[in-house]
Amino acid sequence: MANIILVAGATGGTGQQIVGKLKSAGYAVRVLVRDAAKARDLFGDAVEYAVGNTLDPATLAPAVMGVHAVVCATGTRTPVGDDRPERVDYEGVQNLAQAARAAGVQRFILISSAMVTHSEHPLNNFGRVLDWKLKGENAVRERGLAYTIIRPGGLTDQSGGMAGIQIDQGDKISGIISRNDVAAAVCHALDNISTYHTTFEIVNTPGDPHPLDRAEYWQTLFAALKPD
């Protein structure tokens, strides 16, 4: 199977960072986008383009064909309408996971959110987004994929590697984390068996800058993970 990674949600802030990290690590990247011309303004000829939409299952089979893994970094910016959380964070994620499974793609990484199991959290006032993200997580788990579900804290645009990293499980921690650090976690988790069938939260912590792209650093963090 070709060493191609499909990134859904590639034009978003976190998605762009993920694409950049994967390219730097030597992966071939295919991006799932609604508008290839618009996406070319971001990525040029550095990636392959698959025109489709996670809300339209018929467009997903060509997108996942022949890929090594799928990274889903989709998210909504509106609490209502066609792109509301129920559709994007649940139905779209479910559709993409199902398409991956049908195509024989085993590896699937989902960017979710910290606090998804805390329905009383104020973020849930945004179209019950946490509830729907949790349902999206469960849809991935139920597909029998070698999944990793990453739950970042509040996302920032700070440079990666500027603070410490804390990884935990059980949805007990909250905080903030740079999108660049999340992208580094995705890249290092991709082929790390310690992250298979796991769900974990990730936030920045006060402390010295960390070696963002050093595999040994991430291996130490991932080694403590327990499967779901």
Side-chain angles (χ1 to χ4, degrees):
M1 183 175 288
N3 200 24
I4 300 171
I5 313 302
L6 176 71
V7 180
T11 59
T14 304
Q16 290 181 50
Q17 296 285 345
I18 291 170
V19 171
K21 287 291 183 187
L22 291 173
K23 290 296 297 180
S24 295
Y27 291 100
V29 177
R30 181 183 298 163
V31 296
L32 176 66
V33 294
R34 300 184 188 187
D35 186 336
K38 182 179 179 180
R40 282 187 183 277
D41 292 338
L42 293 173
F43 304 121
D45 295 327
V47 301
E48 295 181 16
Y49 294 90
V51 177
N53 187 337
T54 59
L55 299 177
D56 183 358
T59 67
L60 299 179
V64 299
M65 186 179 300
V67 304
H68 169 65
V70 173
V71 178
C72 182
T74 55
T76 184
R77 297 180 180 179
T78 177
V80 297
D82 290 343
D83 289 334
R84 64 190 181 275
E86 178 184 2
R87 297 266 285 153
V88 174
D89 293 295
Y90 171 50
E91 293 177 15
V93 170
Q94 180 174 243
N95 291 340
L96 187 59
Q98 181 59 37
R101 178 65 174 174
V105 181
Q106 287 296 308
R107 191 71 175 109
F108 196 102
I109 297 181
L110 173 66
I111 308 300
S112 181
S113 173
M115 297 288 111
V116 292
T117 65
H118 298 260
S119 61
E120 76 287 353
H121 193 280
L123 279 177
N124 221 11
N125 294 329
F126 184 86
R128 308 305 297 175
V129 63
L130 297 177
D131 293 344
W132 292 116
K133 282 184 178 292
L134 183 58
K135 287 180 180 293
E137 289 185 6
N138 288 333
V140 171
R141 295 185 184 103
E142 291 164 1
R143 292 303 175 280
L145 301 163
Y147 67 84
T148 301
I149 297 171
I150 300 175
R151 296 171 168 173
L155 296 166
T156 76
D157 291 319
Q158 294 178 327
S159 298
M162 300 304 292
I165 293 284
Q166 181 182 2
I167 285 178
D168 202 353
Q169 294 180 283
D171 210 10
K172 299 174 292 188
I173 62 170
S174 61
I176 61 173
I177 187 165
S178 75
R179 289 180 170 86
N180 196 255
D181 283 338
V182 174
V186 169
C187 192
H188 286 279
L190 193 58
D191 293 315
N192 189 315
I193 196 169
S194 296
T195 70
Y196 287 18
H197 306 288
T198 66
T199 302
F200 62 86
E201 296 77 50
I202 184 169
V203 296
N204 284 136
T205 60
D208 295 333
H210 62 272
L212 184 64
D213 294 319
R214 188 178 299 168
E216 294 85 354
Y217 175 80
W218 291 99
Q219 177 58 42
T220 299
L221 291 173
F222 294 150
L225 291 174
K226 294 180 173 57
D228 291 342

